[in-house]
Amino acid sequence: CAALLLLSIVCLVWTYKKQKTKVVRASQPFFLNMLCVGTFILTSSFIPLSLVAFDFSNNVLSAACKSVPWLFNIGFAVSFSALFTKTKRLNEILALSKQYKRVAIKPIDVMKPFFVILTSNVTLLIAWTIT
């Protein structure tokens, strides 16, 4: 678990330091950063699972168990939406390039699917937590 958390941080720092290079610019550093943050959150869902081995009160263990789906689903949503929106962006660019049109895709256009995926996950998690 610690190795994966550390690897996510290392990849995030590496992307930040190399963001001016041609390869990283072509890979769209914003999406690489989203992917690193998503995998960090996803991997951190293993931490509450390890608390069972220690002598904590039932309230602490209950809260830890409830946090696992939140961390896992939010991390997965961030990672998946980064990949999904990057693919969507490339599809839009390729579709418009066939028509020989110059395309300018704004960050808000790319973030719409991210917000939809994240909002739907949070809504389901709230409903699950309340019941």
Side-chain angles (χ1 to χ4, degrees):
C1 177
L4 293 174
L5 291 171
L6 182 64
L7 186 61
S8 293
I9 293 170
V10 167
C11 289
L12 187 66
V13 169
W14 181 87
T15 303
Y16 178 75
K17 286 187 174 186
K18 302 288 185 176
Q19 67 184 348
K20 302 288 184 194
T21 62
K22 187 185 281 188
V23 173
V24 175
R25 275 195 335 244
S27 300
Q28 302 165 336
F30 178 75
F31 295 111
L32 295 175
N33 291 336
M34 278 182 65
L35 196 57
C36 291
V37 169
T39 55
F40 184 85
I41 295 169
L42 182 89
T43 304
S44 67
S45 69
F46 297 123
I47 295 170
L49 292 175
S50 66
L51 296 179
V52 177
F54 300 103
D55 190 25
F56 286 109
S57 68
N58 283 339
N59 290 338
V60 171
L61 293 176
S62 177
C65 284
K66 287 182 180 179
S67 70
V68 171
W70 277 87
L71 291 169
F72 184 84
N73 286 318
I74 298 297
F76 180 79
V78 171
S79 298
F80 176 77
S81 64
L83 296 173
F84 178 75
T85 54
K86 185 172 181 173
T87 304
K88 183 178 183 289
R89 182 179 186 179
L90 289 174
N91 283 337
E92 289 177 9
I93 290 170
L94 291 175
L96 291 173
S97 70
K98 288 180 182 177
Q99 302 169 4
Y100 299 107
K101 292 184 179 180
R102 187 169 180 92
V103 60
I105 299 175
K106 299 176 181 116
I108 192 66
D109 298 331
V110 175
M111 294 304 290
K112 286 177 186 175
F114 168 72
F115 289 125
V116 169
I117 292 169
L118 191 63
T119 303
S120 62
N121 273 323
V122 169
T123 303
L124 290 173
L125 286 167
I126 289 172
W128 174 81
T129 303
I130 291 173
T131 58

